[in-house]
Amino acid sequence: MEQILEKINAFVWGAPALLGILGVGIYLTIRTGFSQLRLLPKAIRTFLSAFTAKGEKSGTVRPYQALCTALAATVGTGNLAGVAGAMAIGGPGAIFWMWICAILGMILKLAEATLAVRYRTRDEKGEIVGGPMYMIKKGLHKRWHFLAGLYCFFGVVAAFGVGSATQVNAVIGGVNQVICAWGGRETLQGNLIMGIMLSLTMCAILLGGMKKIGRAAESLVPFASAGYLLLGVGVLIARSQMLPEALSAIITGAFTPRAVTGGAIGSVFTVLRIGVSRGVFTNEAGMGTAGIAHAAADVEHPVQQGLMGIVEVFLDTIVICTMTALVILVSGVPIPYGTDVGVTLTTQAFAAIYGDWVAVVLAAALCCFAIATVLGWGLYGARCAQFLFGTNVWRRFVYLQGIVIVIAAVLKTGTVWLLSEIVNGIMAIPNLIALLALTPELVRLLKDYRLRFCTSP
C-alpha cells in the first residue's frame, strides 16, 4: 500500500503541485514587484501592533485572532516531525528549498488573505465567511465555479488527513516516546484512550464556532511557540561553534546532496521535491486554507490582513522550521537518511543537549501544536462542508472529525503522512488557478493600499 502511495505522491509533487506552487509564486512575485519582501517590515510592525487591538464587529474576529487561527493550522507537527522527516528523506538541502518555498509562500499567503477579505460574504447566520471557494464563486466566470466545489471536497478530505490524522498520530508517537523513556511501553489500549481524550477536547472547542476557536488558538499558539523557540535558542547557544557547518550543510546539500549525505541521497530533484512538499505541509502556502481564517478579520483594507499572511509564513517556516533544522544539525545526533523518522529525531537532538527530561517538554509542546492545528483545520473543513452542504452541517462535521481523531490514534505513521501530502498537492490546484485569474485585482488592491496607507511608494 505504501509503495503505491509513494508513487502517487511522487507524481503529484513531481509536476502539478510542485511546479504549480513554485510557478505561481514566482509569477505573483514578479507581477507585484516582490511585495512580500518590500512589505515584510511593515507586516512585522502590523503584527506587533495587533497585540493591543481591541474589539471586532459582529461576525468578525480581531486580525490577530485570525492570524493565530491560521497559524494554529500551520504551526504543528510539520515544524517538528515534518522538518526532521524532510532532512532524513531529502538531506539537509531540503531546508534550503523550504526557505525558497517560504519566500514564494509569503506572496501566496499575501494574495490568499487579501483576496479572501476582498471576496468574503455573510452566511445565513450572519457570520463572515470567505476563502478560495468564495474567490472562485464571486471573482471568476461561472464556467469556473465547479473549481469551488472541487476545492471544498478536497478541503473536507484534507481536514480529516493533514488536519486531524497526522497531528494525532504525531502526538501519540511523542507521548509514547516519553512513556517508553520512563520504563513503560506503547499499547493499543493506551493509544485508544489518548485518542478519545483528544477527540472529546477538540469537539468541545469546535462546537463553539469561529470565535471560540480563535480564542483557543490565541492562547495555545504563542505559548507553545515561545517555549519551543527558547529551548531551540538554548541548543544553538550551547553548540554555536557548529552553526557555520550546519548552515554550510544546508546550502551544499541543496545542490550536491551526495557530498553531505555520504551518497545516501543523490538526486537534487528529490531534495527539491521533499523540501517543497514538506514546506507546503508546514506553512500551507498555495493551498488557500489560511484565507478561510483571514477572511473573518475586522480590517479597513484587504491588504492589511494580507500582511498577516506574510507574517504567518515567516514565523512558521523561516523561524520555527529553521530552528528545528539547526538544532538537529548541531546536536551531533546521526541522521538516518532514507527513513522518515518523524518527531523521534527532533526529540533525540534536544535530548543530546538537555537530557532525556526534555522529551516531556517537547511532547507537551507537540500536543499544544497538534491541538491548535486540529482546531484550525476543523474550521477549514467545516467551512468547506458548509459551502457544499449548507450552514447546518457544522455540528455533524465536528462529530465526524471526532471519530477520525480516535481512529488516527492507532494508524501507521508513514501511511498517514503520504496520504496528507497527496491531498495537499491536489487541493492546491483549484486555489492556484484562482490566484492566477485574480492577479489583476490583487495588483490593484496593493496599489490602492500603498496610496492610502503607505508614506512612501
Side-chain angles (χ1 to χ4, degrees), residues 341-377:
V341 291
V343 74
T344 303
L345 180 60
T346 306
T347 303
Q348 290 174 347
F350 277 96
I353 307 300
Y354 292 110
D356 291 338
W357 65 267
V358 80
V360 178
V361 179
L362 289 179
L366 188 63
C367 286
C368 290
F369 285 145
I371 289 171
T373 301
V374 174
L375 290 176
W377 267 97

PDB file of all heavy atoms in Angstrom, residues 341-377:
ATOM      1  N   VAL A 341      11.777   9.613   9.886  1.00  0.00           N
ATOM      2  CA  VAL A 341      11.876   9.328  11.321  1.00  0.00           C
ATOM      3  C   VAL A 341      10.843  10.064  12.159  1.00  0.00           C
ATOM      4  O   VAL A 341      10.658   9.759  13.330  1.00  0.00           O
ATOM      5  CB  VAL A 341      13.291   9.693  11.832  1.00  0.00           C
ATOM      6  CG1 VAL A 341      14.306   8.741  11.266  1.00  0.00           C
ATOM      7  CG2 VAL A 341      13.638  11.130  11.457  1.00  0.00           C
ATOM      8  N   GLY A 342      10.191  11.062  11.586  1.00  0.00           N
ATOM      9  CA  GLY A 342       9.198  11.801  12.346  1.00  0.00           C
ATOM     10  C   GLY A 342       9.807  12.584  13.503  1.00  0.00           C
ATOM     11  O   GLY A 342      10.950  13.034  13.449  1.00  0.00           O
ATOM     12  N   VAL A 343       9.045  12.698  14.585  1.00  0.00           N
ATOM     13  CA  VAL A 343       9.449  13.549  15.701  1.00  0.00           C
ATOM     14  C   VAL A 343      10.579  12.933  16.526  1.00  0.00           C
ATOM     15  O   VAL A 343      11.227  13.616  17.320  1.00  0.00           O
ATOM     16  CB  VAL A 343       8.220  13.839  16.604  1.00  0.00           C
ATOM     17  CG1 VAL A 343       7.856  12.607  17.426  1.00  0.00           C
ATOM     18  CG2 VAL A 343       8.461  15.046  17.495  1.00  0.00           C
ATOM     19  N   THR A 344      10.866  11.649  16.344  1.00  0.00           N
ATOM     20  CA  THR A 344      11.899  10.975  17.129  1.00  0.00           C
ATOM     21  C   THR A 344      13.250  11.657  16.990  1.00  0.00           C
ATOM     22  O   THR A 344      13.966  11.865  17.976  1.00  0.00           O
ATOM     23  CB  THR A 344      12.026   9.498  16.699  1.00  0.00           C
ATOM     24  OG1 THR A 344      10.756   8.870  16.846  1.00  0.00           O
ATOM     25  CG2 THR A 344      13.050   8.779  17.560  1.00  0.00           C
ATOM     26  N   LEU A 345      13.622  12.013  15.755  1.00  0.00           N
ATOM     27  CA  LEU A 345      14.914  12.648  15.515  1.00  0.00           C
ATOM     28  C   LEU A 345      14.999  13.998  16.213  1.00  0.00           C
ATOM     29  O   LEU A 345      16.036  14.345  16.799  1.00  0.00           O
ATOM     30  CB  LEU A 345      15.144  12.816  14.006  1.00  0.00           C
ATOM     31  CG  LEU A 345      16.464  13.476  13.585  1.00  0.00           C
ATOM     32  CD1 LEU A 345      17.654  12.672  14.088  1.00  0.00           C
ATOM     33  CD2 LEU A 345      16.525  13.616  12.059  1.00  0.00           C
ATOM     34  N   THR A 346      13.930  14.768  16.164  1.00  0.00           N
ATOM     35  CA  THR A 346      13.908  16.074  16.833  1.00  0.00           C
ATOM     36  C   THR A 346      14.079  15.913  18.339  1.00  0.00           C
ATOM     37  O   THR A 346      14.847  16.647  18.975  1.00  0.00           O
ATOM     38  CB  THR A 346      12.588  16.804  16.538  1.00  0.00           C
ATOM     39  OG1 THR A 346      12.393  16.885  15.120  1.00  0.00           O
ATOM     40  CG2 THR A 346      12.594  18.205  17.126  1.00  0.00           C
ATOM     41  N   THR A 347      13.387  14.956  18.915  1.00  0.00           N
ATOM     42  CA  THR A 347      13.496  14.698  20.350  1.00  0.00           C
ATOM     43  C   THR A 347      14.915  14.280  20.732  1.00  0.00           C
ATOM     44  O   THR A 347      15.462  14.747  21.734  1.00  0.00           O
ATOM     45  CB  THR A 347      12.500  13.609  20.776  1.00  0.00           C
ATOM     46  OG1 THR A 347      11.175  14.014  20.419  1.00  0.00           O
ATOM     47  CG2 THR A 347      12.554  13.374  22.267  1.00  0.00           C
ATOM     48  N   GLN A 348      15.510  13.408  19.943  1.00  0.00           N
ATOM     49  CA  GLN A 348      16.883  12.966  20.212  1.00  0.00           C
ATOM     50  C   GLN A 348      17.863  14.131  20.152  1.00  0.00           C
ATOM     51  O   GLN A 348      18.814  14.194  20.939  1.00  0.00           O
ATOM     52  CB  GLN A 348      17.289  11.892  19.201  1.00  0.00           C
ATOM     53  CG  GLN A 348      16.575  10.563  19.383  1.00  0.00           C
ATOM     54  CD  GLN A 348      16.889   9.573  18.274  1.00  0.00           C
ATOM     55  OE1 GLN A 348      17.444   9.938  17.235  1.00  0.00           O
ATOM     56  NE2 GLN A 348      16.545   8.307  18.494  1.00  0.00           N
ATOM     57  N   ALA A 349      17.643  15.053  19.216  1.00  0.00           N
ATOM     58  CA  ALA A 349      18.533  16.203  19.078  1.00  0.00           C
ATOM     59  C   ALA A 349      18.478  17.097  20.323  1.00  0.00           C
ATOM     60  O   ALA A 349      19.515  17.514  20.852  1.00  0.00           O
ATOM     61  CB  ALA A 349      18.158  17.004  17.836  1.00  0.00           C
ATOM     62  N   PHE A 350      17.288  17.386  20.801  1.00  0.00           N
ATOM     63  CA  PHE A 350      17.160  18.205  22.014  1.00  0.00           C
ATOM     64  C   PHE A 350      17.705  17.462  23.232  1.00  0.00           C
ATOM     65  O   PHE A 350      18.340  18.062  24.110  1.00  0.00           O
ATOM     66  CB  PHE A 350      15.697  18.590  22.239  1.00  0.00           C
ATOM     67  CG  PHE A 350      15.248  19.781  21.456  1.00  0.00           C
ATOM     68  CD1 PHE A 350      14.588  19.635  20.237  1.00  0.00           C
ATOM     69  CD2 PHE A 350      15.475  21.069  21.920  1.00  0.00           C
ATOM     70  CE1 PHE A 350      14.165  20.732  19.508  1.00  0.00           C
ATOM     71  CE2 PHE A 350      15.065  22.182  21.204  1.00  0.00           C
ATOM     72  CZ  PHE A 350      14.401  22.015  19.986  1.00  0.00           C
ATOM     73  N   ALA A 351      17.430  16.152  23.300  1.00  0.00           N
ATOM     74  CA  ALA A 351      17.892  15.361  24.442  1.00  0.00           C
ATOM     75  C   ALA A 351      19.413  15.291  24.511  1.00  0.00           C
ATOM     76  O   ALA A 351      19.984  15.147  25.599  1.00  0.00           O
ATOM     77  CB  ALA A 351      17.303  13.951  24.367  1.00  0.00           C
ATOM     78  N   ALA A 352      20.083  15.389  23.365  1.00  0.00           N
ATOM     79  CA  ALA A 352      21.548  15.356  23.353  1.00  0.00           C
ATOM     80  C   ALA A 352      22.144  16.538  24.105  1.00  0.00           C
ATOM     81  O   ALA A 352      23.274  16.469  24.591  1.00  0.00           O
ATOM     82  CB  ALA A 352      22.051  15.353  21.904  1.00  0.00           C
ATOM     83  N   ILE A 353      21.372  17.611  24.222  1.00  0.00           N
ATOM     84  CA  ILE A 353      21.844  18.810  24.926  1.00  0.00           C
ATOM     85  C   ILE A 353      21.265  18.899  26.328  1.00  0.00           C
ATOM     86  O   ILE A 353      21.973  19.138  27.308  1.00  0.00           O
ATOM     87  CB  ILE A 353      21.470  20.090  24.138  1.00  0.00           C
ATOM     88  CG1 ILE A 353      21.969  19.989  22.702  1.00  0.00           C
ATOM     89  CG2 ILE A 353      22.043  21.331  24.840  1.00  0.00           C
ATOM     90  CD1 ILE A 353      23.454  19.826  22.550  1.00  0.00           C
ATOM     91  N   TYR A 354      19.976  18.675  26.457  1.00  0.00           N
ATOM     92  CA  TYR A 354      19.292  18.886  27.732  1.00  0.00           C
ATOM     93  C   TYR A 354      19.136  17.626  28.582  1.00  0.00           C
ATOM     94  O   TYR A 354      18.918  17.724  29.789  1.00  0.00           O
ATOM     95  CB  TYR A 354      17.893  19.467  27.481  1.00  0.00           C
ATOM     96  CG  TYR A 354      17.892  20.873  26.928  1.00  0.00           C
ATOM     97  CD1 TYR A 354      17.494  21.120  25.620  1.00  0.00           C
ATOM     98  CD2 TYR A 354      18.271  21.954  27.710  1.00  0.00           C
ATOM     99  CE1 TYR A 354      17.482  22.408  25.101  1.00  0.00           C
ATOM    100  CE2 TYR A 354      18.254  23.252  27.206  1.00  0.00           C
ATOM    101  CZ  TYR A 354      17.858  23.473  25.902  1.00  0.00           C
ATOM    102  OH  TYR A 354      17.850  24.749  25.392  1.00  0.00           O
ATOM    103  N   GLY A 355      19.221  16.473  27.954  1.00  0.00           N
ATOM    104  CA  GLY A 355      18.957  15.236  28.678  1.00  0.00           C
ATOM    105  C   GLY A 355      17.576  14.695  28.352  1.00  0.00           C
ATOM    106  O   GLY A 355      16.766  15.351  27.683  1.00  0.00           O
ATOM    107  N   ASP A 356      17.268  13.514  28.846  1.00  0.00           N
ATOM    108  CA  ASP A 356      16.015  12.845  28.490  1.00  0.00           C
ATOM    109  C   ASP A 356      14.764  13.562  28.980  1.00  0.00           C
ATOM    110  O   ASP A 356      13.673  13.378  28.426  1.00  0.00           O
ATOM    111  CB  ASP A 356      16.020  11.413  29.045  1.00  0.00           C
ATOM    112  CG  ASP A 356      17.036  10.520  28.343  1.00  0.00           C
ATOM    113  OD1 ASP A 356      17.419  10.860  27.204  1.00  0.00           O
ATOM    114  OD2 ASP A 356      17.443   9.496  28.935  1.00  0.00           O
ATOM    115  N   TRP A 357      14.901  14.406  30.017  1.00  0.00           N
ATOM    116  CA  TRP A 357      13.724  15.077  30.556  1.00  0.00           C
ATOM    117  C   TRP A 357      13.057  15.987  29.527  1.00  0.00           C
ATOM    118  O   TRP A 357      11.847  16.249  29.603  1.00  0.00           O
ATOM    119  CB  TRP A 357      14.092  15.905  31.793  1.00  0.00           C
ATOM    120  CG  TRP A 357      15.022  17.063  31.492  1.00  0.00           C
ATOM    121  CD1 TRP A 357      16.386  17.057  31.566  1.00  0.00           C
ATOM    122  CD2 TRP A 357      14.651  18.377  31.057  1.00  0.00           C
ATOM    123  NE1 TRP A 357      16.887  18.288  31.205  1.00  0.00           N
ATOM    124  CE2 TRP A 357      15.848  19.116  30.883  1.00  0.00           C
ATOM    125  CE3 TRP A 357      13.440  19.007  30.790  1.00  0.00           C
ATOM    126  CZ2 TRP A 357      15.859  20.444  30.462  1.00  0.00           C
ATOM    127  CZ3 TRP A 357      13.445  20.336  30.362  1.00  0.00           C
ATOM    128  CH2 TRP A 357      14.642  21.030  30.209  1.00  0.00           C
ATOM    129  N   VAL A 358      13.835  16.456  28.545  1.00  0.00           N
ATOM    130  CA  VAL A 358      13.284  17.397  27.573  1.00  0.00           C
ATOM    131  C   VAL A 358      12.218  16.737  26.700  1.00  0.00           C
ATOM    132  O   VAL A 358      11.386  17.421  26.111  1.00  0.00           O
ATOM    133  CB  VAL A 358      14.415  17.981  26.693  1.00  0.00           C
ATOM    134  CG1 VAL A 358      14.833  17.001  25.576  1.00  0.00           C
ATOM    135  CG2 VAL A 358      13.981  19.312  26.069  1.00  0.00           C
ATOM    136  N   ALA A 359      12.223  15.402  26.644  1.00  0.00           N
ATOM    137  CA  ALA A 359      11.210  14.705  25.855  1.00  0.00           C
ATOM    138  C   ALA A 359       9.808  15.015  26.373  1.00  0.00           C
ATOM    139  O   ALA A 359       8.850  15.101  25.594  1.00  0.00           O
ATOM    140  CB  ALA A 359      11.467  13.196  25.884  1.00  0.00           C
ATOM    141  N   VAL A 360       9.696  15.176  27.680  1.00  0.00           N
ATOM    142  CA  VAL A 360       8.394  15.503  28.269  1.00  0.00           C
ATOM    143  C   VAL A 360       7.942  16.893  27.823  1.00  0.00           C
ATOM    144  O   VAL A 360       6.774  17.105  27.460  1.00  0.00           O
ATOM    145  CB  VAL A 360       8.469  15.439  29.812  1.00  0.00           C
ATOM    146  CG1 VAL A 360       7.131  15.830  30.427  1.00  0.00           C
ATOM    147  CG2 VAL A 360       8.889  14.051  30.266  1.00  0.00           C
ATOM    148  N   VAL A 361       8.868  17.843  27.827  1.00  0.00           N
ATOM    149  CA  VAL A 361       8.553  19.214  27.412  1.00  0.00           C
ATOM    150  C   VAL A 361       8.164  19.251  25.935  1.00  0.00           C
ATOM    151  O   VAL A 361       7.200  19.916  25.545  1.00  0.00           O
ATOM    152  CB  VAL A 361       9.753  20.149  27.676  1.00  0.00           C
ATOM    153  CG1 VAL A 361       9.433  21.570  27.224  1.00  0.00           C
ATOM    154  CG2 VAL A 361      10.125  20.135  29.151  1.00  0.00           C
ATOM    155  N   LEU A 362       8.932  18.534  25.108  1.00  0.00           N
ATOM    156  CA  LEU A 362       8.637  18.507  23.682  1.00  0.00           C
ATOM    157  C   LEU A 362       7.302  17.835  23.405  1.00  0.00           C
ATOM    158  O   LEU A 362       6.557  18.249  22.510  1.00  0.00           O
ATOM    159  CB  LEU A 362       9.759  17.788  22.921  1.00  0.00           C
ATOM    160  CG  LEU A 362      11.088  18.532  22.811  1.00  0.00           C
ATOM    161  CD1 LEU A 362      12.095  17.687  22.050  1.00  0.00           C
ATOM    162  CD2 LEU A 362      10.894  19.877  22.112  1.00  0.00           C
ATOM    163  N   ALA A 363       7.002  16.789  24.157  1.00  0.00           N
ATOM    164  CA  ALA A 363       5.710  16.119  23.987  1.00  0.00           C
ATOM    165  C   ALA A 363       4.575  17.080  24.329  1.00  0.00           C
ATOM    166  O   ALA A 363       3.536  17.105  23.640  1.00  0.00           O
ATOM    167  CB  ALA A 363       5.641  14.877  24.867  1.00  0.00           C
ATOM    168  N   ALA A 364       4.762  17.900  25.359  1.00  0.00           N
ATOM    169  CA  ALA A 364       3.743  18.883  25.733  1.00  0.00           C
ATOM    170  C   ALA A 364       3.588  19.937  24.638  1.00  0.00           C
ATOM    171  O   ALA A 364       2.465  20.313  24.280  1.00  0.00           O
ATOM    172  CB  ALA A 364       4.119  19.542  27.059  1.00  0.00           C
ATOM    173  N   ALA A 365       4.732  20.419  24.104  1.00  0.00           N
ATOM    174  CA  ALA A 365       4.685  21.403  23.020  1.00  0.00           C
ATOM    175  C   ALA A 365       4.013  20.811  21.793  1.00  0.00           C
ATOM    176  O   ALA A 365       3.194  21.468  21.124  1.00  0.00           O
ATOM    177  CB  ALA A 365       6.095  21.877  22.677  1.00  0.00           C
ATOM    178  N   LEU A 366       4.344  19.550  21.495  1.00  0.00           N
ATOM    179  CA  LEU A 366       3.761  18.872  20.348  1.00  0.00           C
ATOM    180  C   LEU A 366       2.250  18.743  20.509  1.00  0.00           C
ATOM    181  O   LEU A 366       1.491  18.934  19.555  1.00  0.00           O
ATOM    182  CB  LEU A 366       4.393  17.489  20.176  1.00  0.00           C
ATOM    183  CG  LEU A 366       4.044  16.717  18.909  1.00  0.00           C
ATOM    184  CD1 LEU A 366       4.540  17.462  17.683  1.00  0.00           C
ATOM    185  CD2 LEU A 366       4.641  15.318  18.954  1.00  0.00           C
ATOM    186  N   CYS A 367       1.818  18.443  21.707  1.00  0.00           N
ATOM    187  CA  CYS A 367       0.377  18.341  21.970  1.00  0.00           C
ATOM    188  C   CYS A 367      -0.308  19.689  21.734  1.00  0.00           C
ATOM    189  O   CYS A 367      -1.381  19.756  21.121  1.00  0.00           O
ATOM    190  CB  CYS A 367       0.130  17.877  23.400  1.00  0.00           C
ATOM    191  SG  CYS A 367       0.478  16.123  23.675  1.00  0.00           S
ATOM    192  N   CYS A 368       0.309  20.770  22.224  1.00  0.00           N
ATOM    193  CA  CYS A 368      -0.262  22.105  22.022  1.00  0.00           C
ATOM    194  C   CYS A 368      -0.341  22.448  20.539  1.00  0.00           C
ATOM    195  O   CYS A 368      -1.363  22.942  20.047  1.00  0.00           O
ATOM    196  CB  CYS A 368       0.579  23.157  22.755  1.00  0.00           C
ATOM    197  SG  CYS A 368       0.457  23.095  24.549  1.00  0.00           S
ATOM    198  N   PHE A 369       0.767  22.194  19.823  1.00  0.00           N
ATOM    199  CA  PHE A 369       0.782  22.461  18.387  1.00  0.00           C
ATOM    200  C   PHE A 369      -0.292  21.658  17.665  1.00  0.00           C
ATOM    201  O   PHE A 369      -1.011  22.172  16.810  1.00  0.00           O
ATOM    202  CB  PHE A 369       2.158  22.113  17.793  1.00  0.00           C
ATOM    203  CG  PHE A 369       3.240  23.117  18.107  1.00  0.00           C
ATOM    204  CD1 PHE A 369       4.544  22.699  18.318  1.00  0.00           C
ATOM    205  CD2 PHE A 369       2.963  24.468  18.172  1.00  0.00           C
ATOM    206  CE1 PHE A 369       5.550  23.608  18.594  1.00  0.00           C
ATOM    207  CE2 PHE A 369       3.959  25.395  18.448  1.00  0.00           C
ATOM    208  CZ  PHE A 369       5.254  24.962  18.657  1.00  0.00           C
ATOM    209  N   ALA A 370      -0.355  20.377  17.991  1.00  0.00           N
ATOM    210  CA  ALA A 370      -1.287  19.491  17.292  1.00  0.00           C
ATOM    211  C   ALA A 370      -2.740  19.856  17.588  1.00  0.00           C
ATOM    212  O   ALA A 370      -3.585  19.856  16.696  1.00  0.00           O
ATOM    213  CB  ALA A 370      -1.011  18.036  17.682  1.00  0.00           C
ATOM    214  N   ILE A 371      -3.029  20.163  18.844  1.00  0.00           N
ATOM    215  CA  ILE A 371      -4.385  20.564  19.210  1.00  0.00           C
ATOM    216  C   ILE A 371      -4.784  21.831  18.454  1.00  0.00           C
ATOM    217  O   ILE A 371      -5.890  21.943  17.910  1.00  0.00           O
ATOM    218  CB  ILE A 371      -4.494  20.781  20.731  1.00  0.00           C
ATOM    219  CG1 ILE A 371      -4.430  19.428  21.449  1.00  0.00           C
ATOM    220  CG2 ILE A 371      -5.792  21.505  21.089  1.00  0.00           C
ATOM    221  CD1 ILE A 371      -4.307  19.536  22.958  1.00  0.00           C
ATOM    222  N   ALA A 372      -3.842  22.794  18.399  1.00  0.00           N
ATOM    223  CA  ALA A 372      -4.111  24.032  17.666  1.00  0.00           C
ATOM    224  C   ALA A 372      -4.352  23.754  16.185  1.00  0.00           C
ATOM    225  O   ALA A 372      -5.235  24.352  15.559  1.00  0.00           O
ATOM    226  CB  ALA A 372      -2.940  25.000  17.838  1.00  0.00           C
ATOM    227  N   THR A 373      -3.562  22.840  15.605  1.00  0.00           N
ATOM    228  CA  THR A 373      -3.716  22.515  14.188  1.00  0.00           C
ATOM    229  C   THR A 373      -5.057  21.849  13.912  1.00  0.00           C
ATOM    230  O   THR A 373      -5.728  22.161  12.920  1.00  0.00           O
ATOM    231  CB  THR A 373      -2.574  21.586  13.717  1.00  0.00           C
ATOM    232  OG1 THR A 373      -1.326  22.246  13.938  1.00  0.00           O
ATOM    233  CG2 THR A 373      -2.706  21.260  12.250  1.00  0.00           C
ATOM    234  N   VAL A 374      -5.454  20.934  14.774  1.00  0.00           N
ATOM    235  CA  VAL A 374      -6.759  20.284  14.602  1.00  0.00           C
ATOM    236  C   VAL A 374      -7.881  21.320  14.674  1.00  0.00           C
ATOM    237  O   VAL A 374      -8.851  21.254  13.912  1.00  0.00           O
ATOM    238  CB  VAL A 374      -6.969  19.188  15.660  1.00  0.00           C
ATOM    239  CG1 VAL A 374      -8.385  18.615  15.575  1.00  0.00           C
ATOM    240  CG2 VAL A 374      -5.953  18.067  15.472  1.00  0.00           C
ATOM    241  N   LEU A 375      -7.733  22.301  15.551  1.00  0.00           N
ATOM    242  CA  LEU A 375      -8.743  23.354  15.666  1.00  0.00           C
ATOM    243  C   LEU A 375      -8.804  24.187  14.380  1.00  0.00           C
ATOM    244  O   LEU A 375      -9.893  24.460  13.854  1.00  0.00           O
ATOM    245  CB  LEU A 375      -8.429  24.257  16.854  1.00  0.00           C
ATOM    246  CG  LEU A 375      -8.602  23.644  18.244  1.00  0.00           C
ATOM    247  CD1 LEU A 375      -8.146  24.632  19.315  1.00  0.00           C
ATOM    248  CD2 LEU A 375     -10.050  23.245  18.471  1.00  0.00           C
ATOM    249  N   GLY A 376      -7.630  24.607  13.901  1.00  0.00           N
ATOM    250  CA  GLY A 376      -7.601  25.408  12.684  1.00  0.00           C
ATOM    251  C   GLY A 376      -8.175  24.657  11.495  1.00  0.00           C
ATOM    252  O   GLY A 376      -9.003  25.190  10.733  1.00  0.00           O
ATOM    253  N   TRP A 377      -7.778  23.405  11.343  1.00  0.00           N
ATOM    254  CA  TRP A 377      -8.285  22.614  10.228  1.00  0.00           C
ATOM    255  C   TRP A 377      -9.739  22.200  10.440  1.00  0.00           C
ATOM    256  O   TRP A 377     -10.470  21.949   9.483  1.00  0.00           O
ATOM    257  CB  TRP A 377      -7.402  21.386  10.003  1.00  0.00           C
ATOM    258  CG  TRP A 377      -6.337  21.666   9.000  1.00  0.00           C
ATOM    259  CD1 TRP A 377      -5.049  22.029   9.235  1.00  0.00           C
ATOM    260  CD2 TRP A 377      -6.479  21.625   7.577  1.00  0.00           C
ATOM    261  NE1 TRP A 377      -4.371  22.216   8.053  1.00  0.00           N
ATOM    262  CE2 TRP A 377      -5.233  21.973   7.024  1.00  0.00           C
ATOM    263  CE3 TRP A 377      -7.535  21.320   6.723  1.00  0.00           C
ATOM    264  CZ2 TRP A 377      -5.012  22.025   5.644  1.00  0.00           C
ATOM    265  CZ3 TRP A 377      -7.324  21.376   5.350  1.00  0.00           C
ATOM    266  CH2 TRP A 377      -6.074  21.724   4.831  1.00  0.00           C
TER     267      TRP A 377
END
